[in-house]
Amino acid sequence: MFKANKHTRKHRPAPYLFISALLILALALAGCGTGGGGATTAAATTAAAAEATTAAAAGATEAAATTVAGAADAGATTAATTTTAAAAADEDDDPDLSPPVTLTMAMPIEKGGGEWGNRKPWTVQEMEKELNIVWELRGHTPDQDQLMYASGDLADIVMAHRDFYTQIIEGGLVMPLDDLVEQYAPDIKEQTYKLDYARKYLSHGTGLLYGFTCFTGSDGNGFYPQIGFHTRWDLYKELGAPEMASHDDILELVDQLVRENPTTPDGQKVYGFGVFNDWGTWPFGTFPINNPTANTEVSAKSVTFRADGTEFYPMIDIDSGGWQNLSMFNKANQMGLFDKDSLTQSSSEYANKCTNGQYMIICAGWWMTAYNLERRVEDPNTLNGYQHIPFKGGKVYCNNLWPAGASAYMYMISSKCQNPEAAMKLLNYLNSYDGIRFLMCGSVEAGTIEMVEGKPEMTAEIIEKTLADSEDVRDMFYTNENAFGFTVPTIHPGDGQPLNLRVTDRGFSLQCSPMDTDYSNYYGATYPAGVLNKFISEGYMTDNRYMPSDVTNAMPPDTDSIARIRNLVTDIYFKTTATAILAPNDAAFMEVFEQNMKDLKDSGFDLLVEFDRNNYLAAKADFE
């Protein structure tokens, strides 16, 4: 069980927090009333409201729902809230006077990995005191991962991608964790389904526990809906908020928006759309569309299974999401709405253009928050900002269910780790309800959490300062949800609140700007995430709560020959994207598609489909 020691109970709040607490107390006596990594721009980028979690669990498949419920029941014996644990007496908890143990952790950059520098969050520093460690975090690119595994020079803890599991385990680069979990990880030990799943499907047939996943539960829906169709709310509303139900609707809308707003206030060119080239094919399949992939289906790599059991193959299906989006970009380019330079730009350059307001359509919510924040700082009452626009028949990426965690990554401990006991204690902290709550939110004693009607909530002061990107809260909290064993909207069994208190109804409401409120009220909700929840509940849009992630994640890794084919077909498709977008007319676009289909089939695509289909059906049968 995670237990707060003397360091955590005292919490040693920074002086400004202590002063703030005194001010709040004085106001109360007078009869008055009331931040990815390191609390950045806003809690708006954090995943999932409590209502989304409840809806996801209700709409899950019976097996997945039972598993998630079972995990919650198993975890119910863990510590109560951070507040309760912090208040508990522990006379036997003597301070550890031994030198702290330095632990290195390698984490992919795209999962939030990166050196702390001089900005290590305050909650992390408090955790280090409690565990008597120094946590060094290293951000790795895929190339650095390959070099690390090839050399055998691993960090003490690695967040390893599934592509490397076989190489890591066969090479003896990581150690079995069964005994360490038994002795040093009581919170992890209680997550029996996740551990048994890892032993059976993720440990190279050894039956041993070589690692465990993060992100168990439902990821819900963020304050701002994430992947999808986002545009300027002020401009869209001025046009009467027309319904979007097809790509033609989007193109007509964007054409008008760009014609009326050809440049930013500082004179930079405005485009309808842009992409980037350092995330592979991802940017070409992120817009909602009304076609077969907008309906309930399961994607098993190269083959997709619809709800009725029929199959289609996205890379060679003109009606698939990827090809329909390429068609839309092609038409946008013919209309002069597409940023051609974006075909060779990086994701960071894309982000800069989003922040500058140079794209009328932004493909993901996290790239619009910087623009929204800047406008809010300039004018607290502005309606200028981006919002997610409901798309009839579209599918949105939210409410995913991960009963056994997101199995694409596992935490493993290096065989060369000098203090695996300390490493396991750190991992247990990151997999405990109270540990996650403290790292993301702090505590009552520190003045960052307050009790409202008997429930813990983030203080209004902290949320307000976070939204304003105030310096004194910028480095307080560690909010990288990819590091945690549970999804952040997971309900703490001790208090019934989400682990991240920013995603409660109250937390979401406090984060609303006048623009957020105007948008939400227009659609009959109280905050942006509620808009999406409303349209999903009404059947206007669909989400991913039906996806049996445990089945797809149980599919075996590629053989060497299949891996070569998969890399080849992905490369062929990716290299086709620019040619397709730049095709001068519809006929030329179809010629590109036909040639791409031929090239893929010549590369062994049929063998890839057979491999994926057979493995998916076998894994599915294992769960029936």
Side-chain angles (χ1 to χ4, degrees):
M1 182 187 305
F2 167 77
K3 179 173 63 177
N5 72 5
K6 293 181 179 178
H7 295 302
T8 306
R9 286 199 298 275
K10 294 180 180 178
H11 292 299
R12 301 183 179 180
Y16 67 84
L17 283 175
F18 181 69
I19 293 171
S20 299
L22 290 178
L23 289 173
I24 293 171
L25 177 60
L27 289 171
L29 293 174
C32 300
T34 336
T40 51
T41 53
T45 58
T46 311
E51 63 177 298
T53 306
T54 303
T61 59
E62 181 177 352
T66 302
T67 302
V68 173
D73 291 339
T77 58
T78 61
T81 65
T82 303
T83 306
T84 305
D90 186 4
E91 300 300 330
D92 297 329
D93 191 10
D94 295 325
D96 187 349
L97 301 180
S98 60
V101 174
T102 296
L103 293 171
T104 57
M105 179 185 289
M107 181 184 292
I109 289 176
E110 68 269 21
K111 292 297 180 182
E115 287 70 24
W116 299 116
N118 296 321
R119 306 180 73 87
K120 182 177 287 188
W122 165 75
T123 54
V124 170
Q125 296 179 51
E126 291 298 304
M127 179 193 69
E128 289 179 319
K129 294 173 187 175
E130 176 174 337
L131 299 180
N132 197 34
I133 64 169
V134 175
W135 183 16
E136 292 185 359
L137 190 59
R138 301 174 181 175
H140 273 210
T141 65
D143 288 343
Q144 289 171 321
D145 277 342
Q146 291 180 2
L147 179 61
M148 177 174 65
Y149 299 134
S151 67
D153 184 20
L154 274 62
D156 294 316
I157 303 170
V158 294
M159 186 181 185
H161 190 275
R162 184 167 183 169
D163 288 349
F164 297 107
Y165 292 173
T166 297
Q167 175 185 348
I168 293 171
I169 294 172
E170 281 188 348
L173 301 181
V174 294
M175 62 178 67
L177 304 180
D178 300 85
D179 292 341
L180 287 170
V181 168
E182 181 69 29
Q183 297 180 59
Y184 302 104
D187 291 279
I188 295 174
K189 181 181 175 181
E190 291 177 347
Q191 300 173 46
T192 54
Y193 179 81
K194 179 163 76 173
L195 299 184
D196 290 342
Y197 185 95
R199 290 185 180 101
K200 183 172 183 178
Y201 297 109
L202 306 177
S203 293
H204 194 52
T206 64
L208 300 175
L209 181 68
Y210 276 97
F212 41 85
T213 59
C214 55
F215 221 63
T216 303
S218 168
D219 61 10
N221 176 24
F223 176 79
Y224 286 133
Q226 296 301 298
I227 300 168
F229 168 37
H230 304 80
T231 195
R232 284 271 301 275
W233 170 246
D234 53 328
L235 302 179
Y236 179 68
K237 185 181 179 184
E238 286 178 4
L239 296 178
E243 181 178 76
M244 297 289 105
S246 70
H247 280 168
D248 288 340
D249 292 339
I250 294 176
L251 289 169
E252 181 179 348
L253 170 71
V254 173
D255 183 45
Q256 184 171 355
L257 291 177
V258 172
R259 278 190 284 106
E260 295 179 359
N261 304 272
T263 61
T264 64
D266 59 356
Q268 299 182 81
K269 183 173 175 57
V270 170
Y271 303 93
F273 307 89
V275 292
F276 44 91
N277 68 357
D278 56 349
W279 283 21
T281 61
W282 189 90
F284 306 101
T286 56
F287 289 92
I289 48 182
N290 189 17
N291 65 60
T293 60
N295 302 318
T296 299
E297 90 281 337
V298 177
S299 292
K301 300 182 179 178
S302 63
V303 58
T304 296
F305 295 84
R306 298 187 182 91
D308 61 5
T310 58
E311 307 170 12
F312 70 96
Y313 315 102
M315 283 190 174
I316 58 172
D317 191 325
I318 194 64
D319 290 325
S320 67
W323 278 105
Q324 286 296 299
N325 287 330
L326 288 177
S327 176
M328 180 177 68
F329 291 152
N330 172 260
K331 292 177 181 177
N333 185 58
Q334 294 181 50
M335 298 168 66
L337 301 173
F338 186 81
D339 177 12
K340 295 180 182 179
D341 292 338
S342 71
L343 291 167
T344 57
Q345 76 182 1
S346 66
S347 55
S348 61
E349 292 172 302
Y350 178 86
N352 288 336
K353 288 181 179 177
C354 293
T355 301
N356 295 338
Q358 290 183 260
Y359 291 134
M360 279 300 174
I361 303 296
I362 294 177
C363 67
W366 56 82
W367 276 310
M368 71 186 192
T369 53
Y371 179 92
N372 288 0
L373 178 61
E374 288 186 9
R375 303 292 80 75
R376 186 172 182 174
V377 170
E378 292 170 354
D379 177 7
N381 295 315
T382 186
L383 297 184
N384 182 345
Y386 288 83
Q387 293 286 0
H388 180 275
I389 305 304
F391 187 93
K392 186 176 183 179
K395 181 168 62 178
V396 286
Y397 189 86
C398 67
N399 296 330
N400 299 277
L401 286 172
W402 310 98
S407 302
Y409 289 91
M410 279 205 304
Y411 283 112
M412 298 176 162
I413 297 179
S414 166
S415 298
K416 295 183 179 180
C417 178
Q418 296 298 305
N419 198 321
E421 297 84 2
M424 183 55 69
K425 290 178 181 179
L426 169 59
L427 291 175
N428 188 69
Y429 195 109
L430 298 175
N431 279 267
S432 66
Y433 294 113
D434 287 343
I436 296 169
R437 168 72 62 75
F438 179 72
L439 287 170
M440 299 198 82
C441 304
S443 66
V444 171
E445 291 79 6
T448 59
I449 296 175
E450 60 186 347
M451 301 302 291
V452 178
E453 298 180 354
K455 296 285 188 179
E457 298 275 3
M458 290 297 289
T459 66
E461 178 190 19
I462 290 295
I463 288 180
E464 181 178 352
K465 288 185 174 182
T466 301
L467 291 171
D469 197 26
S470 178
E471 180 69 29
D472 56 1
V473 299
R474 193 171 297 157
D475 301 315
M476 285 195 66
F477 308 105
Y478 184 54
T479 58
N480 180 11
E481 58 195 283
N482 293 306
F484 303 138
F486 295 105
T487 57
V488 296
T490 295
I491 300 301
H492 192 307
D495 57 38
Q497 291 283 76
L499 296 182
N500 184 355
L501 296 174
R502 297 169 184 81
V503 304
T504 65
D505 284 340
R506 177 180 181 272
F508 271 160
S509 297
L510 288 174
Q511 293 172 54
C512 282
S513 67
M515 187 265 292
D516 296 326
T517 299
D518 186 73
Y519 161 80
S520 303
N521 291 346
Y522 184 88
Y523 290 111
T526 55
Y527 46 78
V531 174
L532 191 59
N533 294 335
K534 177 177 182 289
F535 279 103
I536 291 172
S537 67
E538 293 174 352
Y540 190 88
M541 304 181 76
T542 58
D543 59 14
N544 286 344
R545 73 186 67 193
Y546 60 83
M547 291 183 68
S549 61
D550 283 12
V551 175
T552 54
N553 289 334
M555 293 168 62
D558 290 348
T559 63
D560 290 343
S561 60
I562 288 295
R564 285 192 292 271
I565 295 175
R566 195 180 305 281
N567 290 336
L568 178 58
V569 299
T570 301
D571 188 55
I572 291 171
Y573 175 79
F574 179 59
K575 289 179 177 178
T576 301
T577 55
T579 307
I581 291 171
L582 299 178
N585 51 55
D586 294 349
F589 177 85
M590 287 305 299
E591 289 178 6
V592 173
F593 168 73
E594 295 292 344
Q595 183 61 48
N596 178 258
M597 185 168 60
K598 180 180 183 302
D599 291 342
L600 289 178
K601 286 185 173 293
D602 290 346
S603 71
F605 184 75
D606 290 342
L607 293 175
L608 188 65
V609 168
E610 182 181 8
F611 180 85
D612 290 340
R613 180 199 295 118
N614 291 342
N615 284 330
Y616 170 74
L617 295 176
K620 183 172 181 288
D622 206 22
F623 283 81
E624 292 177 342

